[in-house]
Coordinates of all heavy atoms in Angstrom, one line a residue:
A683 N -13.6 6.3 -38.8 CA -13.6 7.1 -40.0 C -14.9 6.9 -40.8 O -15.4 7.9 -41.3 CB -12.4 6.6 -40.9
L684 N -15.4 5.7 -40.9 CA -16.7 5.5 -41.5 C -17.8 6.2 -40.8 O -18.7 6.8 -41.5 CB -17.0 4.0 -41.6 CG -18.3 3.6 -42.2 CD1 -18.4 4.0 -43.7 CD2 -18.6 2.1 -42.1
S685 N -17.8 6.2 -39.5 CA -18.8 6.9 -38.7 C -18.8 8.4 -39.0 O -19.8 9.1 -39.1 CB -18.6 6.6 -37.2 OG -18.7 5.3 -36.9
L686 N -17.6 9.0 -39.1 CA -17.4 10.4 -39.4 C -17.9 10.7 -40.8 O -18.5 11.8 -41.1 CB -16.0 10.8 -39.2 CG -15.4 10.8 -37.8 CD1 -13.9 11.1 -37.8 CD2 -16.2 11.8 -36.9
Q687 N -17.7 9.8 -41.8 CA -18.2 10.0 -43.1 C -19.7 10.0 -43.1 O -20.3 10.8 -43.8 CB -17.6 8.9 -44.0 CG -16.1 9.0 -44.3 CD -15.6 7.8 -45.0 OE1 -16.3 7.1 -45.7 NE2 -14.3 7.5 -44.8
K688 N -20.3 9.0 -42.4 CA -21.7 9.0 -42.3 C -22.3 10.2 -41.7 O -23.5 10.6 -41.9 CB -22.1 7.7 -41.5 CG -21.8 6.4 -42.2 CD -22.6 6.2 -43.4 CE -22.4 4.8 -44.0 NZ -23.1 4.6 -45.3
A689 N -21.5 10.9 -40.8 CA -22.0 12.1 -40.1 C -21.9 13.3 -41.1 O -22.4 14.4 -40.8 CB -21.1 12.4 -38.9
G690 N -21.3 13.1 -42.3 CA -21.3 14.1 -43.3 C -19.9 14.8 -43.5 O -19.8 15.7 -44.3
I691 N -18.9 14.3 -42.9 CA -17.5 14.8 -43.1 C -17.0 14.2 -44.4 O -17.0 13.0 -44.5 CB -16.6 14.5 -41.9 CG1 -17.2 15.2 -40.6 CG2 -15.2 15.0 -42.2 CD1 -16.4 14.9 -39.4
P692 N -16.5 15.0 -45.3 CA -16.0 14.5 -46.6 C -14.8 13.5 -46.4 O -14.0 13.6 -45.5 CB -15.5 15.7 -47.3 CG -16.3 16.8 -46.7 CD -16.4 16.5 -45.3
D693 N -14.8 12.5 -47.2 CA -13.8 11.4 -47.2 C -12.4 12.0 -47.4 O -11.4 11.6 -46.9 CB -14.1 10.4 -48.2 CG -13.0 9.3 -48.2 OD1 -12.8 8.6 -47.2 OD2 -12.4 9.1 -49.3
S694 N -12.3 13.1 -48.2 CA -11.1 13.8 -48.5 C -10.4 14.4 -47.3 O -9.2 14.6 -47.3 CB -11.3 14.8 -49.6 OG -12.2 15.8 -49.2
V695 N -11.2 14.7 -46.3 CA -10.7 15.3 -45.1 C -10.1 14.2 -44.1 O -9.2 14.5 -43.3 CB -11.8 16.1 -44.3 CG1 -11.3 16.6 -43.0 CG2 -12.3 17.2 -45.2
I696 N -10.6 13.0 -44.2 CA -10.3 12.0 -43.2 C -9.2 11.0 -43.7 O -9.2 10.6 -44.8 CB -11.6 11.1 -43.0 CG1 -12.7 12.0 -42.5 CG2 -11.3 10.0 -41.9 CD1 -14.0 11.3 -42.4
S697 N -8.2 10.8 -42.8 CA -7.2 9.8 -43.1 C -7.2 8.7 -42.0 O -7.3 9.0 -40.8 CB -5.8 10.5 -43.0 OG -5.7 11.4 -44.1
V698 N -7.3 7.5 -42.5 CA -7.4 6.3 -41.6 C -6.0 5.8 -41.3 O -5.2 5.4 -42.2 CB -8.2 5.2 -42.2 CG1 -8.4 4.0 -41.3 CG2 -9.6 5.7 -42.6
V699 N -5.6 5.7 -40.0 CA -4.3 5.2 -39.6 C -4.5 4.1 -38.6 O -4.4 4.3 -37.4 CB -3.4 6.4 -39.0 CG1 -2.0 5.9 -38.8 CG2 -3.5 7.6 -39.9
P700 N -4.6 2.9 -39.1 CA -4.8 1.7 -38.1 C -3.5 1.4 -37.4 O -2.4 1.6 -38.0 CB -5.3 0.6 -39.0 CG -4.8 0.9 -40.4 CD -4.8 2.4 -40.5
A701 N -3.7 0.8 -36.3 CA -2.5 0.3 -35.5 C -2.6 -1.2 -35.4 O -3.6 -1.8 -35.4 CB -2.5 1.0 -34.1
P702 N -1.4 -1.8 -35.2 CA -1.4 -3.3 -35.0 C -2.0 -3.7 -33.7 O -2.1 -2.9 -32.7 CB 0.0 -3.7 -35.1 CG 0.8 -2.4 -34.6 CD -0.1 -1.3 -35.1
L703 N -2.3 -5.0 -33.6 CA -2.8 -5.6 -32.3 C -1.6 -5.7 -31.3 O -0.6 -6.2 -31.6 CB -3.4 -7.0 -32.6 CG -3.9 -7.7 -31.3 CD1 -5.0 -7.0 -30.7 CD2 -4.3 -9.2 -31.7
V704 N -1.9 -5.2 -30.1 CA -0.9 -5.3 -29.0 C -1.6 -5.6 -27.7 O -2.8 -5.3 -27.6 CB -0.1 -4.0 -28.8 CG1 0.9 -3.7 -30.0 CG2 -1.0 -2.8 -28.6
I705 N -0.9 -6.2 -26.8 CA -1.5 -6.5 -25.5 C -1.6 -5.3 -24.6 O -2.5 -5.2 -23.8 CB -0.7 -7.7 -24.8 CG1 -0.7 -8.9 -25.7 CG2 -1.2 -8.0 -23.5 CD1 0.1 -10.1 -25.2
K706 N -0.6 -4.5 -24.6 CA -0.5 -3.3 -23.8 C 0.0 -2.1 -24.6 O 0.4 -2.2 -25.8 CB 0.3 -3.5 -22.6 CG 1.8 -3.8 -22.9 CD 2.6 -3.9 -21.6 CE 4.1 -4.1 -21.9 NZ 4.9 -4.1 -20.7
D707 N 0.0 -0.9 -24.0 CA 0.5 0.3 -24.6 C -0.2 0.6 -25.9 O 0.4 0.9 -26.9 CB 2.0 0.2 -24.9 CG 2.8 0.1 -23.6 OD1 2.3 0.6 -22.5 OD2 3.8 -0.6 -23.6
R708 N -1.6 0.5 -25.9 CA -2.3 0.7 -27.2 C -2.3 2.1 -27.6 O -2.2 2.4 -28.8 CB -3.8 0.2 -27.0 CG -3.9 -1.3 -26.7 CD -5.3 -1.7 -26.5 NE -5.4 -3.1 -26.2 CZ -6.5 -3.8 -25.9 NH1 -7.6 -3.1 -25.9 NH2 -6.5 -5.1 -25.7

């Protein structure tokens, strides 16, 4: 998301959806 913002895409367009740490099935 930060990289896309640095590329010039507005923050209002981007939603960050992190996932938890897993060993498999990422």
Side-chain angles (χ1 to χ4, degrees):
L684 178 62
S685 299
L686 292 175
Q687 291 171 26
K688 293 294 184 181
I691 299 177
D693 179 58
S694 59
V695 175
I696 302 170
S697 295
V698 182
V699 188
L703 177 65
V704 291
I705 298 175
K706 62 176 185 176
D707 299 328
R708 295 179 182 178

